[in-house]
Amino acid sequence: MSRTDDPTSEVTDLLQLLIRNRCVNDGSIASGDETRSVELLAGYLAGVGDHEVYEPQPGRQSLVVKLEGTDPDAPSLMLMGHTDVVPVNPDGWSRDPFAASVEDGFVWGRGAVDMLNLTASQAVALRRLADSGFCPRGTLIFLAVADEEALGTWGAHWLLEHQRDAVYADYVLTESGGFQIPTSEGPRLPVLVAEKGTFWSTIRVHGTPGHGSQPFRTDNALVTAAEVVRRIADYRPQTQIHESWRKFVEGMHFDPGVTAALLDPEHFTDALAEVPIGLARHWHACTHTTFAPTVAHGGTKTNMIPDHVELQVDVRTLPGQTGEEATALLRDALGDLADAVEIDSNDDPSTASPIDTPLWDTLARTTARLCEGSALVPSLMTGGTDNRFFRRAGSVGYGFGLFSRRLAYEDYAVMFHGNDERVDQESLALSTRLWEAVARDLVG
Ligand SMILES: [Zn+2]
């Protein structure tokens, strides 16, 4: 590949190949087949650092490329990108989701923003650093990881449990963040410093079987379940103004009145009435434990009063919140029905990294150069990424990237796991330059 200072065509080419590999992870062990993209990336990075491939299940490979640092006391940095993507429904797409066509400066395809764009730009940055003779003081690691889209079971989770020394780094950068939010003081770039936890809960509702022809005063589990769902949907837990929310709002330079309302638990929900619905949903999720009833299974036959219904509720917890606290909220929502049902929950708590770190300072310095007039703001991710495993292992992990103004946050949010996913080439080049600059600044 010929080399110019402009990384655009190189990162575009690599992204196209990653998209065409269609490493679709549908949650089954046999899906994903990330081996194809590991082979692609290992070939692209041939001669760069030390390579190690891990394969905990057939086809579920992850690649570690390491540029060993010269100073064992210097901090280490990992750039981590997943190679798997979520399934598509091609009916909703106006382009072939795996053709990776380029039109008007945009690359189209599944994974274009989640997150093959960043995986490709990380690999290109590493290649460019190595080719320039970069010899870091602290170890620089690139991890192309499998299975992010299905809880990291055969990817980051497995690697930290079984190969911790091979993958652990003091600082970890992975998706997503870094889209430009316009403000009166210039663009703000969210750094995802924390992620909400999941507290997925199953609620079993019991009743007494009977004949559907005589419903008078029956103990119908479906009717009780409907009331359980209604109470959960109506539940209004308190607004929680935590540190990353406060710093986000303060960094956004809203009108003083808006800032005050967004930091006041009493007025927060009223303030959301003025905000577009997509943003309102996100901000609400950033400041509340959320409860979404999502699945109901019950009943067997039209003429039978059901004696058993099972509900699933997607509960998302805030930083610092324990399972006991989440259970207490769920029971509060159910009121006098709490004792009449069985609740089983799986607690995967929220994770957070401090904001006051050398990695933050590095990002602030490098983005100030790459994106004029910008400043960082901390942000809470309402979903989960592989960062949670690294934060629990002791790393400072942030979600970041860098996007041009051509990719608005609203579009980005809709494309994540959505239809017509695409990324502009300027964003690809910006992210490539970002990773290079970050590596030079933090471990160089
Ligand atoms: Zn992702």
Side-chain angles (χ1 to χ4, degrees):
M1 224 172 263
S2 71
R3 175 67 41 77
T4 63
D5 184 53
D6 180 355
T8 308
S9 68
E10 195 163 338
V11 65
T12 300
D13 290 349
L14 190 59
L15 172 61
Q16 287 179 299
L17 295 172
L18 287 169
I19 290 172
R20 289 173 191 152
N21 275 347
R22 54 168 89 204
C23 297
V24 175
N25 184 348
D26 64 15
S28 65
I29 290 185
S31 73
D33 202 5
E34 292 90 345
T35 297
R36 285 169 292 179
S37 287
V38 161
E39 285 170 357
L40 166 68
L41 291 164
Y44 172 74
L45 291 170
V48 176
D50 303 317
H51 290 209
E52 207 63 66
V53 173
Y54 299 95
E55 188 172 17
Q57 286 289 336
R60 311 307 302 267
Q61 289 188 353
S62 294
L63 168 71
V64 178
V65 179
K66 227 176 237 197
L67 290 185
E68 204 66 51
T70 54
D71 176 358
D73 296 326
S76 51
L77 168 67
M78 172 184 284
L79 305 176
M80 172 169 60
H82 64 80
T83 52
D84 59 328
V85 297
V86 292
V88 294
N89 177 1
D91 297 347
W93 284 66
S94 62
R95 305 289 190 284
D96 178 340
F98 298 104
S101 58
V102 181
E103 286 171 49
D104 187 27
F106 275 81
V107 183
W108 291 65
R110 176 54 92 217
V113 295
D114 180 15
M115 65 172 286
L116 304 180
N117 56 326
L118 300 180
T119 307
S121 63
Q122 290 172 343
V124 173
L126 195 70
R127 172 95 247 173
R128 288 163 59 91
L129 283 163
D131 289 353
S132 75
F134 182 62
C135 183
R137 229 165 36 79
T139 297
L140 175 62
I141 306 166
F142 169 60
L143 170 59
V145 72
D147 205 25
E148 193 276 344
E149 297 291 0
L151 303 176
T153 310
W154 307 114
H157 191 199
W158 187 90
L159 286 165
L160 276 165
E161 296 258 298
H162 299 274
Q163 299 289 342
R164 186 185 184 282
D165 292 348
V167 294
Y168 181 81
D170 300 309
Y171 300 107
V172 175
L173 287 170
T174 190
E175 63 185 337
S176 46
F179 26 83
Q180 301 189 30
I181 309 177
T183 75
S184 58
E185 307 290 312
R188 290 297 173 267
L189 310 171
V191 181
L192 303 178
V193 298
E195 298 174 12
K196 291 186 82 174
T198 55
F199 193 73
W200 289 349
S201 299
T202 301
I203 300 180
R204 291 188 191 83
V205 183
H206 300 286
T208 308
H211 201 286
S213 65
Q214 296 180 29
F216 184 60
R217 285 193 190 160
T218 50
D219 175 21
N220 184 330
L222 186 58
V223 173
T224 309
E227 176 62 10
V228 166
V229 169
R230 192 196 64 75
R231 289 185 187 187
I232 291 170
D234 284 353
Y235 188 54
R236 299 285 173 266
Q238 265 191 341
T239 304
Q240 304 286 335
I241 307 296
H242 47 88
E243 189 203 12
S244 61
W245 177 252
R246 178 177 300 281
K247 292 204 159 144
F248 170 77
V249 172
E250 288 169 354
M252 290 299 293
H253 298 282
F254 299 119
D255 293 353
V258 174
T259 297
L262 289 175
L263 295 178
D264 177 358
E266 298 301 312
H267 294 100
F268 179 87
T269 309
D270 297 336
L272 291 188
E274 311 297 321
V275 174
I277 184 62
L279 210 51
R281 244 173 231 150
H282 179 61
W283 290 359
H284 175 270
C286 285
T287 49
H288 293 82
T289 315
T290 56
F291 301 83
T294 47
V295 177
H297 286 129
T300 49
K301 206 161 174 290
T302 307
N303 65 354
M304 283 184 70
I305 302 288
D307 64 348
H308 175 245
V309 171
E310 193 173 285
L311 303 171
Q312 284 170 36
V313 187
D314 185 353
V315 182
R316 303 280 173 147
T317 54
L318 288 165
Q321 193 166 38
T322 64
E324 288 74 42
E325 288 165 337
T327 300
L329 289 172
L330 194 50
R331 291 182 62 86
D332 188 34
L334 298 182
D336 62 359
L337 287 173
D339 288 328
V341 300
E342 284 169 55
I343 305 175
D344 270 328
S345 303
N346 181 30
D347 189 13
D348 191 2
S350 169
T351 60
S353 285
I355 297 168
D356 171 21
T357 68
L359 180 58
W360 181 277
D361 297 340
T362 289
L363 289 178
R365 276 192 293 272
T366 51
T367 54
R369 290 200 297 272
L370 291 164
C371 183
E372 208 178 315
S374 69
L376 305 177
V377 285
S379 186
L380 173 67
M381 176 118 181
T382 58
T385 73
D386 281 337
N387 251 335
R388 68 189 185 283
F389 305 114
F390 284 88
R391 289 194 188 113
R392 285 177 191 147
S395 309
V396 169
Y398 293 157
F400 201 64
L402 204 49
F403 292 92
S404 81
R405 258 173 298 184
R406 292 194 75 185
L407 204 93
Y409 170 69
E410 298 79 41
D411 300 331
Y412 173 84
V414 172
M415 290 191 289
F416 223 82
H417 295 198
N419 295 331
D420 281 349
E421 202 178 333
R422 60 201 182 279
V423 68
D424 66 294
Q425 292 174 280
E426 193 185 334
S427 293
L428 295 173
L430 267 174
S431 284
T432 306
R433 292 188 197 282
L434 169 76
W435 308 127
E436 282 185 69
V438 164
R440 288 186 190 281
D441 189 282
L442 191 65
V443 296

